[in-house]
Amino acid sequence: MGEQPIFSTRAHVFQIDPTTKKNWVPTSKHAVTVSYFYDSTRNVYRIISLDGSKAIINSTITPNMTFTKTSQKFGQWADSRANTVYGLGFSSENNLLKFAEKFAEFKEAARLAKEKSQEKMELTSTPSQVAAVKKNVLPVLPKVPPKVPVRKKESATGDLQSPLTPESINGTDDERGTTPETPQYLPEPRAEPSQNQLPFSHSSSSINKHWEAELAALKGNNAKLTAALLESTANVKQWKQQLAAYQEEAERLHKRVTELECVSGQMTVIKSQKTELNQTIEELESALKSKEEELERLKEEVESANEFQTQKESLTQTLQETEERNLTLEAQLVELEQRLEGSQLEREAFRKSLRTLLELLDGKIFELTELRDSLARLIEGSSS
């Protein structure tokens, strides 16, 4: 894979409503994984989030993007390429701050990467453009006649190897004015007999005609090269447009390939997350089962507490009745004690009276015994 995740977090994903541009539309039913990816082949950073197999976020970070914190747990950024605004709702402010720090860090890295790529393109494009201009613009040097002075040949060669300017192609005003007049560049003739002066003037006029023809040919070539340069400029513009279209198509295809790579590359992550989720679900189910058991136990305890409450109320009522009976019994006991004391007093008085009666009875019995004895003595005395 060309892209690898370098930072991940979980958040609820939203997009701005394309019709109203005011309301947020949730694109995920629950919190999903939002990751930063780095493409080493293209040297770009992207934010990608998948809901199942669907890519709900596929945003390339550019230097002009800005991540805005709108609340304590919510942030957003605008993506001009996708023509939308993404929003993320985090579970805590700490996760939001970490995501914002990474956004600023990768935004700066994207800016530096863009500057380096532009410098590299300028360095590679400048020599190629110069070579193309030299190939399409520089004319072929004509063969100079043997009678042309060496000084004039060096001047022509120097003009052709100089940068491409109108003066170098058409010649300056001084050159255009002095080129036909070749005698000022020719060496001074020696003193010769008069019969040789006529051939020399004839050769000078032929040289002037030759250079006039060369100048006309150069002007014609200049016009042709100017037209070719204009045509190549138009072709370059057309090629740039085609290149931009090809780049957009390549970007779209690369995004699609990257999405597929992300889907295939994140299968392991998704499987591990699924395993973790299954374990979490099992743990939650076991925890839920234990909670249900605890709830049942608490219900039983509440029912037993209610029973205890009714028993307590009945026992309280019984206790109150017992206390009331106890008070009544205490009153009765006090009364019985009083009656017992009265009966004891009466009993003592009865005992005293009984003792007095016994004493009187003993006295009467003693008197009767004495009376009996006396009667018996009287009877015995009368019988004798």
mmCIF file of all heavy atoms in Angstrom, residues 45-80:
data_model
loop_
_atom_site.group_PDB
_atom_site.id
_atom_site.type_symbol
_atom_site.label_atom_id
_atom_site.label_comp_id
_atom_site.label_asym_id
_atom_site.label_seq_id
_atom_site.Cartn_x
_atom_site.Cartn_y
_atom_site.Cartn_z
ATOM 1 N N TYR A 45 -1.291 14.280 2.492
ATOM 2 C CA TYR A 45 -1.954 13.800 3.703
ATOM 3 C C TYR A 45 -3.467 13.835 3.471
ATOM 4 O O TYR A 45 -3.984 14.802 2.875
ATOM 5 C CB TYR A 45 -1.587 14.667 4.906
ATOM 6 C CG TYR A 45 -0.129 14.611 5.279
ATOM 7 C CD1 TYR A 45 0.801 15.434 4.667
ATOM 8 C CD2 TYR A 45 0.316 13.724 6.258
ATOM 9 C CE1 TYR A 45 2.144 15.382 5.014
ATOM 10 C CE2 TYR A 45 1.654 13.671 6.613
ATOM 11 C CZ TYR A 45 2.559 14.501 5.982
ATOM 12 O OH TYR A 45 3.885 14.442 6.330
ATOM 13 N N ARG A 46 -4.142 12.793 3.974
ATOM 14 C CA ARG A 46 -5.589 12.725 3.795
ATOM 15 C C ARG A 46 -6.262 12.291 5.082
ATOM 16 O O ARG A 46 -5.669 11.608 5.916
ATOM 17 C CB ARG A 46 -5.968 11.756 2.674
ATOM 18 C CG ARG A 46 -5.503 12.192 1.298
ATOM 19 C CD ARG A 46 -6.267 11.511 0.195
ATOM 20 N NE ARG A 46 -6.142 10.061 0.231
ATOM 21 C CZ ARG A 46 -6.961 9.223 -0.387
ATOM 22 N NH1 ARG A 46 -8.003 9.689 -1.032
ATOM 23 N NH2 ARG A 46 -6.772 7.930 -0.337
ATOM 24 N N ILE A 47 -7.525 12.687 5.237
ATOM 25 C CA ILE A 47 -8.382 12.248 6.341
ATOM 26 C C ILE A 47 -9.413 11.293 5.761
ATOM 27 O O ILE A 47 -10.162 11.657 4.839
ATOM 28 C CB ILE A 47 -9.068 13.438 7.028
ATOM 29 C CG1 ILE A 47 -8.030 14.448 7.509
ATOM 30 C CG2 ILE A 47 -9.935 12.964 8.184
ATOM 31 C CD1 ILE A 47 -8.623 15.717 8.072
ATOM 32 N N ILE A 48 -9.430 10.067 6.284
ATOM 33 C CA ILE A 48 -10.313 9.026 5.747
ATOM 34 C C ILE A 48 -11.078 8.403 6.892
ATOM 35 O O ILE A 48 -10.522 8.150 7.973
ATOM 36 C CB ILE A 48 -9.510 7.958 4.985
ATOM 37 C CG1 ILE A 48 -8.829 8.566 3.750
ATOM 38 C CG2 ILE A 48 -10.396 6.797 4.560
ATOM 39 C CD1 ILE A 48 -7.929 7.611 3.015
ATOM 40 N N SER A 49 -12.367 8.158 6.657
ATOM 41 C CA SER A 49 -13.205 7.463 7.637
ATOM 42 C C SER A 49 -14.151 6.539 6.880
ATOM 43 O O SER A 49 -14.730 6.927 5.854
ATOM 44 C CB SER A 49 -14.001 8.444 8.490
ATOM 45 O OG SER A 49 -14.838 7.752 9.395
ATOM 46 N N LEU A 50 -14.271 5.322 7.365
ATOM 47 C CA LEU A 50 -15.116 4.310 6.734
ATOM 48 C C LEU A 50 -16.231 3.909 7.685
ATOM 49 O O LEU A 50 -15.997 3.698 8.875
ATOM 50 C CB LEU A 50 -14.302 3.078 6.346
ATOM 51 C CG LEU A 50 -13.166 3.271 5.333
ATOM 52 C CD1 LEU A 50 -12.427 1.974 5.116
ATOM 53 C CD2 LEU A 50 -13.699 3.799 4.020
ATOM 54 N N ASP A 51 -17.442 3.820 7.140
ATOM 55 C CA ASP A 51 -18.583 3.267 7.872
ATOM 56 C C ASP A 51 -18.948 1.955 7.196
ATOM 57 O O ASP A 51 -19.688 1.924 6.231
ATOM 58 C CB ASP A 51 -19.753 4.246 7.859
ATOM 59 C CG ASP A 51 -20.877 3.794 8.777
ATOM 60 O OD1 ASP A 51 -20.685 2.773 9.478
ATOM 61 O OD2 ASP A 51 -21.943 4.431 8.789
ATOM 62 N N GLY A 52 -18.358 0.852 7.710
ATOM 63 C CA GLY A 52 -18.473 -0.423 6.999
ATOM 64 C C GLY A 52 -17.526 -0.410 5.823
ATOM 65 O O GLY A 52 -16.313 -0.290 5.962
ATOM 66 N N SER A 53 -18.061 -0.516 4.601
ATOM 67 C CA SER A 53 -17.248 -0.437 3.389
ATOM 68 C C SER A 53 -17.422 0.892 2.666
ATOM 69 O O SER A 53 -16.858 1.087 1.593
ATOM 70 C CB SER A 53 -17.617 -1.579 2.437
ATOM 71 O OG SER A 53 -18.995 -1.502 2.088
ATOM 72 N N LYS A 54 -18.185 1.815 3.242
ATOM 73 C CA LYS A 54 -18.459 3.105 2.608
ATOM 74 C C LYS A 54 -17.538 4.163 3.181
ATOM 75 O O LYS A 54 -17.426 4.305 4.396
ATOM 76 C CB LYS A 54 -19.925 3.483 2.843
ATOM 77 C CG LYS A 54 -20.316 4.823 2.242
ATOM 78 C CD LYS A 54 -21.744 5.155 2.583
ATOM 79 C CE LYS A 54 -22.139 6.537 2.059
ATOM 80 N NZ LYS A 54 -23.519 6.885 2.444
ATOM 81 N N ALA A 55 -16.898 4.921 2.285
ATOM 82 C CA ALA A 55 -16.012 6.010 2.709
ATOM 83 C C ALA A 55 -16.861 7.260 2.926
ATOM 84 O O ALA A 55 -17.353 7.869 1.978
ATOM 85 C CB ALA A 55 -14.935 6.272 1.669
ATOM 86 N N ILE A 56 -17.051 7.636 4.190
ATOM 87 C CA ILE A 56 -17.859 8.818 4.509
ATOM 88 C C ILE A 56 -17.000 10.080 4.595
ATOM 89 O O ILE A 56 -17.531 11.181 4.557
ATOM 90 C CB ILE A 56 -18.653 8.604 5.806
ATOM 91 C CG1 ILE A 56 -17.710 8.244 6.966
ATOM 92 C CG2 ILE A 56 -19.684 7.519 5.619
ATOM 93 C CD1 ILE A 56 -18.427 8.056 8.278
ATOM 94 N N ILE A 57 -15.674 9.920 4.745
ATOM 95 C CA ILE A 57 -14.744 11.060 4.673
ATOM 96 C C ILE A 57 -13.570 10.645 3.787
ATOM 97 O O ILE A 57 -12.963 9.605 4.009
ATOM 98 C CB ILE A 57 -14.219 11.477 6.062
ATOM 99 C CG1 ILE A 57 -15.348 11.973 6.955
ATOM 100 C CG2 ILE A 57 -13.177 12.577 5.920
ATOM 101 C CD1 ILE A 57 -14.873 12.381 8.340
ATOM 102 N N ASN A 58 -13.272 11.474 2.778
ATOM 103 C CA ASN A 58 -12.092 11.287 1.944
ATOM 104 C C ASN A 58 -11.614 12.684 1.554
ATOM 105 O O ASN A 58 -11.948 13.206 0.497
ATOM 106 C CB ASN A 58 -12.424 10.444 0.717
ATOM 107 C CG ASN A 58 -11.183 10.096 -0.075
ATOM 108 O OD1 ASN A 58 -10.061 10.418 0.318
ATOM 109 N ND2 ASN A 58 -11.361 9.446 -1.207
ATOM 110 N N SER A 59 -10.873 13.306 2.462
ATOM 111 C CA SER A 59 -10.495 14.716 2.324
ATOM 112 C C SER A 59 -8.980 14.838 2.289
ATOM 113 O O SER A 59 -8.287 14.382 3.201
ATOM 114 C CB SER A 59 -11.068 15.527 3.487
ATOM 115 O OG SER A 59 -10.665 16.870 3.403
ATOM 116 N N THR A 60 -8.470 15.445 1.227
ATOM 117 C CA THR A 60 -7.034 15.712 1.092
ATOM 118 C C THR A 60 -6.700 17.038 1.763
ATOM 119 O O THR A 60 -7.322 18.061 1.476
ATOM 120 C CB THR A 60 -6.624 15.745 -0.386
ATOM 121 O OG1 THR A 60 -6.980 14.503 -0.994
ATOM 122 C CG2 THR A 60 -5.130 15.967 -0.520
ATOM 123 N N ILE A 61 -5.717 17.025 2.657
ATOM 124 C CA ILE A 61 -5.343 18.226 3.402
ATOM 125 C C ILE A 61 -4.526 19.147 2.498
ATOM 126 O O ILE A 61 -3.523 18.720 1.911
ATOM 127 C CB ILE A 61 -4.552 17.865 4.665
ATOM 128 C CG1 ILE A 61 -5.410 16.987 5.595
ATOM 129 C CG2 ILE A 61 -4.097 19.106 5.404
ATOM 130 C CD1 ILE A 61 -4.670 16.510 6.814
ATOM 131 N N THR A 62 -4.971 20.399 2.392
ATOM 132 C CA THR A 62 -4.271 21.412 1.606
ATOM 133 C C THR A 62 -3.850 22.557 2.526
ATOM 134 O O THR A 62 -4.406 22.725 3.612
ATOM 135 C CB THR A 62 -5.183 21.938 0.483
ATOM 136 O OG1 THR A 62 -6.380 22.495 1.085
ATOM 137 C CG2 THR A 62 -5.577 20.820 -0.464
ATOM 138 N N PRO A 63 -2.859 23.382 2.088
ATOM 139 C CA PRO A 63 -2.371 24.457 2.971
ATOM 140 C C PRO A 63 -3.410 25.505 3.309
ATOM 141 O O PRO A 63 -3.259 26.220 4.295
ATOM 142 C CB PRO A 63 -1.210 25.057 2.174
ATOM 143 C CG PRO A 63 -0.753 23.961 1.268
ATOM 144 C CD PRO A 63 -1.984 23.206 0.905
ATOM 145 N N ASN A 64 -4.484 25.641 2.496
ATOM 146 C CA ASN A 64 -5.478 26.676 2.774
ATOM 147 C C ASN A 64 -6.628 26.183 3.623
ATOM 148 O O ASN A 64 -7.600 26.913 3.844
ATOM 149 C CB ASN A 64 -6.016 27.254 1.460
ATOM 150 C CG ASN A 64 -6.634 26.168 0.585
ATOM 151 O OD1 ASN A 64 -6.500 24.990 0.868
ATOM 152 N ND2 ASN A 64 -7.301 26.568 -0.483
ATOM 153 N N MET A 65 -6.573 24.939 4.109
ATOM 154 C CA MET A 65 -7.621 24.418 4.981
ATOM 155 C C MET A 65 -7.407 24.895 6.420
ATOM 156 O O MET A 65 -6.275 25.144 6.843
ATOM 157 C CB MET A 65 -7.654 22.882 4.946
ATOM 158 C CG MET A 65 -8.291 22.291 3.722
ATOM 159 S SD MET A 65 -8.415 20.482 3.879
ATOM 160 C CE MET A 65 -9.233 20.083 2.349
ATOM 161 N N THR A 66 -8.511 24.982 7.165
ATOM 162 C CA THR A 66 -8.457 25.396 8.568
ATOM 163 C C THR A 66 -9.442 24.558 9.360
ATOM 164 O O THR A 66 -10.616 24.455 8.980
ATOM 165 C CB THR A 66 -8.802 26.885 8.723
ATOM 166 O OG1 THR A 66 -7.895 27.655 7.939
ATOM 167 C CG2 THR A 66 -8.691 27.303 10.184
ATOM 168 N N PHE A 67 -8.957 23.965 10.455
ATOM 169 C CA PHE A 67 -9.826 23.205 11.360
ATOM 170 C C PHE A 67 -10.286 24.140 12.480
ATOM 171 O O PHE A 67 -9.462 24.719 13.197
ATOM 172 C CB PHE A 67 -9.084 22.007 11.944
ATOM 173 C CG PHE A 67 -9.948 21.126 12.815
ATOM 174 C CD1 PHE A 67 -10.799 20.205 12.250
ATOM 175 C CD2 PHE A 67 -9.909 21.242 14.195
ATOM 176 C CE1 PHE A 67 -11.591 19.396 13.035
ATOM 177 C CE2 PHE A 67 -10.693 20.439 14.989
ATOM 178 C CZ PHE A 67 -11.546 19.507 14.415
ATOM 179 N N THR A 68 -11.606 24.298 12.607
ATOM 180 C CA THR A 68 -12.181 25.243 13.559
ATOM 181 C C THR A 68 -12.874 24.491 14.680
ATOM 182 O O THR A 68 -13.706 23.615 14.427
ATOM 183 C CB THR A 68 -13.186 26.176 12.862
ATOM 184 O OG1 THR A 68 -12.549 26.803 11.750
ATOM 185 C CG2 THR A 68 -13.685 27.233 13.817
ATOM 186 N N LYS A 69 -12.533 24.851 15.907
ATOM 187 C CA LYS A 69 -13.196 24.286 17.097
ATOM 188 C C LYS A 69 -14.408 25.154 17.410
ATOM 189 O O LYS A 69 -14.282 26.291 17.851
ATOM 190 C CB LYS A 69 -12.213 24.259 18.269
ATOM 191 C CG LYS A 69 -12.822 23.746 19.559
ATOM 192 C CD LYS A 69 -11.827 23.843 20.695
ATOM 193 C CE LYS A 69 -12.476 23.457 22.018
ATOM 194 N NZ LYS A 69 -11.550 23.615 23.163
ATOM 195 N N THR A 70 -15.613 24.617 17.173
ATOM 196 C CA THR A 70 -16.841 25.386 17.371
ATOM 197 C C THR A 70 -17.442 25.206 18.754
ATOM 198 O O THR A 70 -18.250 26.022 19.173
ATOM 199 C CB THR A 70 -17.877 24.981 16.313
ATOM 200 O OG1 THR A 70 -18.122 23.565 16.396
ATOM 201 C CG2 THR A 70 -17.371 25.309 14.919
ATOM 202 N N SER A 71 -17.088 24.131 19.456
ATOM 203 C CA SER A 71 -17.570 23.920 20.820
ATOM 204 C C SER A 71 -16.519 23.108 21.568
ATOM 205 O O SER A 71 -15.420 22.872 21.061
ATOM 206 C CB SER A 71 -18.933 23.215 20.830
ATOM 207 O OG SER A 71 -18.817 21.898 20.338
ATOM 208 N N GLN A 72 -16.888 22.665 22.771
ATOM 209 C CA GLN A 72 -15.916 21.961 23.602
ATOM 210 C C GLN A 72 -15.575 20.585 23.036
ATOM 211 O O GLN A 72 -14.463 20.092 23.237
ATOM 212 C CB GLN A 72 -16.470 21.814 25.022
ATOM 213 C CG GLN A 72 -15.450 21.307 26.030
ATOM 214 C CD GLN A 72 -16.009 21.316 27.433
ATOM 215 O OE1 GLN A 72 -17.180 21.591 27.634
ATOM 216 N NE2 GLN A 72 -15.174 21.003 28.409
ATOM 217 N N LYS A 73 -16.505 19.959 22.298
ATOM 218 C CA LYS A 73 -16.280 18.615 21.775
ATOM 219 C C LYS A 73 -16.586 18.520 20.280
ATOM 220 O O LYS A 73 -16.743 17.409 19.772
ATOM 221 C CB LYS A 73 -17.146 17.598 22.531
ATOM 222 C CG LYS A 73 -16.837 17.488 24.019
ATOM 223 C CD LYS A 73 -17.724 16.455 24.686
ATOM 224 C CE LYS A 73 -17.436 16.362 26.171
ATOM 225 N NZ LYS A 73 -18.301 15.343 26.843
ATOM 226 N N PHE A 74 -16.671 19.648 19.558
ATOM 227 C CA PHE A 74 -17.041 19.607 18.136
ATOM 228 C C PHE A 74 -16.112 20.512 17.345
ATOM 229 O O PHE A 74 -15.756 21.612 17.795
ATOM 230 C CB PHE A 74 -18.484 20.061 17.949
ATOM 231 C CG PHE A 74 -19.038 19.762 16.578
ATOM 232 C CD1 PHE A 74 -19.602 18.533 16.296
ATOM 233 C CD2 PHE A 74 -18.974 20.710 15.574
ATOM 234 C CE1 PHE A 74 -20.096 18.251 15.043
ATOM 235 C CE2 PHE A 74 -19.468 20.435 14.320
ATOM 236 C CZ PHE A 74 -20.028 19.202 14.058
ATOM 237 N N GLY A 75 -15.687 20.021 16.171
ATOM 238 C CA GLY A 75 -14.839 20.779 15.264
ATOM 239 C C GLY A 75 -15.234 20.533 13.822
ATOM 240 O O GLY A 75 -15.892 19.529 13.504
ATOM 241 N N GLN A 76 -14.810 21.442 12.918
ATOM 242 C CA GLN A 76 -15.207 21.326 11.515
ATOM 243 C C GLN A 76 -14.114 21.891 10.620
ATOM 244 O O GLN A 76 -13.261 22.662 11.071
ATOM 245 C CB GLN A 76 -16.524 22.065 11.273
ATOM 246 C CG GLN A 76 -16.406 23.572 11.458
ATOM 247 C CD GLN A 76 -17.719 24.294 11.294
ATOM 248 O OE1 GLN A 76 -18.754 23.802 11.718
ATOM 249 N NE2 GLN A 76 -17.680 25.463 10.666
ATOM 250 N N TRP A 77 -14.149 21.479 9.337
ATOM 251 C CA TRP A 77 -13.275 22.061 8.323
ATOM 252 C C TRP A 77 -13.976 21.963 6.975
ATOM 253 O O TRP A 77 -14.814 21.080 6.751
ATOM 254 C CB TRP A 77 -11.909 21.369 8.283
ATOM 255 C CG TRP A 77 -11.884 20.037 7.596
ATOM 256 C CD1 TRP A 77 -11.557 19.752 6.302
ATOM 257 C CD2 TRP A 77 -12.228 18.768 8.191
ATOM 258 N NE1 TRP A 77 -11.658 18.421 6.051
ATOM 259 C CE2 TRP A 77 -12.054 17.779 7.182
ATOM 260 C CE3 TRP A 77 -12.651 18.375 9.459
ATOM 261 C CZ2 TRP A 77 -12.317 16.438 7.425
ATOM 262 C CZ3 TRP A 77 -12.904 17.043 9.684
ATOM 263 C CH2 TRP A 77 -12.731 16.090 8.684
ATOM 264 N N ALA A 78 -13.635 22.887 6.072
ATOM 265 C CA ALA A 78 -14.239 22.942 4.736
ATOM 266 C C ALA A 78 -13.290 22.316 3.727
ATOM 267 O O ALA A 78 -12.082 22.549 3.762
ATOM 268 C CB ALA A 78 -14.541 24.388 4.359
ATOM 269 N N ASP A 79 -13.863 21.505 2.811
ATOM 270 C CA ASP A 79 -13.108 20.859 1.735
ATOM 271 C C ASP A 79 -13.653 21.386 0.419
ATOM 272 O O ASP A 79 -14.779 21.042 0.013
ATOM 273 C CB ASP A 79 -13.257 19.330 1.823
ATOM 274 C CG ASP A 79 -12.299 18.608 0.889
ATOM 275 O OD1 ASP A 79 -11.762 19.268 -0.025
ATOM 276 O OD2 ASP A 79 -12.085 17.395 1.056
ATOM 277 N N SER A 80 -12.870 22.258 -0.248
ATOM 278 C CA SER A 80 -13.341 22.855 -1.497
ATOM 279 C C SER A 80 -13.402 21.836 -2.626
ATOM 280 O O SER A 80 -14.227 21.968 -3.535
ATOM 281 C CB SER A 80 -12.422 24.019 -1.876
ATOM 282 O OG SER A 80 -11.079 23.571 -2.023
#
